[in-house]
Amino acid sequence: MPDAIEVRKVPLHNVSDASELGKLIDDGVMAADRVIAIIGKTEGNGGVNDYTRIIADRAFREILVEKGADPAKVKEIPIVWSGGTDGVISPHATVFATLPAEQAEPSDEPRLTVGFAMSEHLLPEEIGYTPMITKVADAVKVAMERAGITDPADVHYVQTKTPLLTIHTIRDAKSRGKSVWTEHTHESMDLSNGCTALGIAVALGEIEMPTDADVMANRDLFSSVASCSSGVELDQAQVVVVGNARGVGGRYRIGHSVMQNALDQDGIWAAIKDAGLDLPERPHVSDIQGRLVNVFLKCEASLDGTVNGRRNAMLDDSDVHWHRQIKSCVGGVTAAVTGDPACFVSVSAAHQGPEGGGPVAAIVDLGSGEPTGYRPPSP
C-alpha cells in the first residue's frame, strides 16, 4: 500500500524562488527526501521558448538538495511546470510528498494517492501518431499501479509533460528519412498535448484505441481527467497519476468534473463537490473555508469561435495568440469561484474535456483541525 500524501500549495515570489517550499520543510510539514511530485505555474510566455520553466525547475530541485535530499533522487522527481500566468493567475507550485505512517491521519475513506512513471523514448516522428498514444497509455498504467489504484474510476487527474517538436528534432527526423506531423513548432505543442490525452483516455478505458486520422480531428474523443503539457525539456512522456485509494490514510481527497465552456463555473464547483467537500446547492467562495488546496484546469478556445452563443475574436487575433486569451479568461473565472488567483490553468486542451471546455480536478482537505488550504484576506 502506498504511503499517505501531504500536499501543499506555495507561492513563487519570483521566477527563481523556492523559499516557501524551504519553509514547509523547515517547519516539518514535509521532508525534503519525501517530495515525490511538483506541479506549478510560472510567469513566462507559455510558448516553446519559455525559459521560466527551466529556471523554476532548477530552483525547486536545488532547495530540495539544500534541505538534505539525495541529489541523484531529486533529479528523478517529476516537476511539471506550465508556463504563462496571464491575467490574474498567480505563479505557484503544488507540492506532493509522502508521509510516514505514524504521521498520517488514519481514515477508512478514499484518500489521495499519487503514482509516477516515464514512458518509453518518444521519437519526433511518433508525436501525433498512434505509437505515441500507445507509449503514453502504457506509462499511465504503470503510474496507476504505483499509486495503488486498480479501478480507473479512482483516477481523477493525470498530469503529463511530453516533448514537442523543435527545429532540432525535426531535422533529426528528416536526417533519418522520417517525416513529422507538423513543422510548425508552436502547433506541435497542441499536437503533443492532444495525442497524449488520447493515450490517457485509452489507458483509463474512456475511449477505444483511436486511429492516426482521429488525432486533433475527432474532438468527440477525449479524456475527462487529462491535463497535458509539453515542452523542450523531455524526450519521454512524464506521467503523474493522482487519484484516491482506501487504506492509505491522510487528510486529502481529489475529485474531478469538466467545464463545458470557458464560463462554466458549475463545472468547477462540481469538481470540488466530487472531491468530498460538503457545499450548498448554490455555493459561494465563503463556503470553502480553507478546505480547497488547489484546482487544476485545462482550457481551449472553441473551434466555432463562440462562447454561450456569442461570437469572440480569439482565433482571428493576430496580435495576441488565443492560448493567452483563453488562459486569462478561464483563470479569471476560476479565481472568482475559489477566491484564489493561484490556480493551475493550462491551455491547449485538445482531446482534454469536451470541445471548448476542459477537465477540472480539485484537491480538498477533509482532515481534522485547522484546514491547510488558502484563505483570501478579509476585506
Side-chain angles (χ1 to χ4, degrees):
M1 181 63 66
D3 291 329
I5 299 294
E6 182 65 39
V7 55
R8 297 294 180 96
K9 179 167 61 181
V10 296
L12 274 64
H13 300 300
N14 58 65
V15 72
S16 61
D17 172 59
S19 63
E20 296 293 342
L21 172 56
K23 290 178 183 178
L24 287 180
I25 296 168
D26 290 342
D27 292 343
V29 174
M30 55 181 61
D33 60 358
R34 283 185 167 270
V35 172
I36 58 170
I38 299 172
I39 299 171
K41 292 291 300 181
T42 66
E43 59 205 77
N45 61 23
V48 175
N49 65 336
D50 186 348
Y51 60 87
T52 64
R53 297 187 297 243
I54 298 172
I55 294 173
D57 185 276
R58 178 179 298 174
F60 273 71
R61 293 188 197 275
E62 287 177 350
I63 198 75
L64 291 174
V65 173
E66 178 186 320
K67 299 298 180 180
D70 182 342
K73 293 182 179 179
V74 168
K75 289 181 180 178
E76 302 301 319
I77 295 173
I79 301 183
V80 179
W81 294 106
S82 170
T85 51
D86 302 86
V88 299
I89 300 172
S90 185
H92 68 278
T94 304
V95 184
F96 299 83
T98 59
L99 283 178
E102 64 273 13
Q103 294 182 20
E105 187 171 313
S107 176
D108 294 328
E109 295 297 313
R111 287 294 184 263
L112 190 72
T113 183
V114 178
F116 166 69
M118 295 290 285
S119 76
E120 293 181 29
H121 177 71
L122 288 165
L123 298 171
E125 62 266 26
E126 293 177 330
I127 295 174
Y129 296 103
T130 51
M132 182 179 189
I133 294 173
T134 299
K135 289 181 179 181
V136 169
D138 290 344
V140 171
K141 292 174 183 177
V142 172
M144 280 180 60
E145 182 179 356
R146 292 175 177 171
I149 297 174
T150 55
D151 186 350
D154 290 325
V155 175
H156 294 275
Y157 176 47
V158 182
Q159 178 64 58
T160 63
K161 192 77 174 186
T162 51
L164 45 71
L165 293 169
T166 66
I167 296 301
H168 173 74
T169 58
I170 292 170
R171 286 175 177 169
D172 171 64
K174 287 182 174 181
S175 72
R176 293 180 286 103
K178 305 294 183 179
S179 61
V180 294
W181 200 93
T182 179
E183 295 190 21
H184 297 284
T185 57
H186 199 273
E187 181 184 29
S188 76
M189 179 182 298
D190 297 339
L191 173 67
S192 181
N193 292 354
C195 194
T196 301
L198 291 173
I200 295 168
V202 168
L204 301 180
E206 295 177 282
I207 63 171
E208 298 296 325
M209 184 69 186
T211 66
D212 286 341
D214 288 320
V215 177
M216 303 301 288
N218 185 354
R219 297 302 180 97
D220 290 333
L221 301 179
F222 63 83
S223 170
S224 295
V225 299
S227 177
C228 304
S229 294
S230 52
V232 299
E233 308 96 315
L234 297 169
D235 60 7
Q236 298 168 276
Q238 181 175 271
V239 178
V240 180
V241 166
V242 188
N244 298 314
R246 292 185 183 274
V248 298
R251 303 175 60 91
Y252 305 98
R253 184 168 171 171
I254 188 169
H256 80 277
S257 185
V258 296
M259 293 178 74
Q260 296 298 327
N261 60 51
L263 303 180
D264 182 17
Q265 297 185 39
D266 289 342
I268 302 172
W269 286 118
I272 298 171
K273 290 180 180 179
D274 188 56
L277 198 61
D278 187 19
L279 295 170
E281 182 178 353
R282 297 302 300 171
H284 181 264
V285 62
S286 60
D287 297 314
I288 295 175
Q289 295 294 312
R291 291 285 177 185
L292 180 65
V293 177
N294 206 3
V295 286
F296 306 84
L297 303 91
K298 291 294 293 189
C299 58
E300 183 94 349
S302 180
L303 294 178
D304 67 4
T306 69
V307 174
N308 277 351
R310 293 290 196 181
R311 181 177 73 90
N312 63 73
M314 282 187 288
L315 296 176
D316 292 323
D317 195 331
S318 298
D319 294 317
V320 181
H321 195 277
W322 66 264
H323 275 195
R324 311 200 72 164
Q325 298 191 45
I326 193 66
K327 190 190 309 177
S328 179
C329 169
V330 174
V333 171
T334 305
V337 168
T338 66
D340 186 0
C343 48
F344 186 91
V345 179
S346 176
V347 76
S348 186
H351 301 299
Q352 298 153 76
E355 164 62 24
V360 187
I363 297 175
V364 301
D365 180 354
L366 300 178
S368 59
E370 183 67 19
T372 59
Y374 180 75
R375 292 178 184 266
S378 300

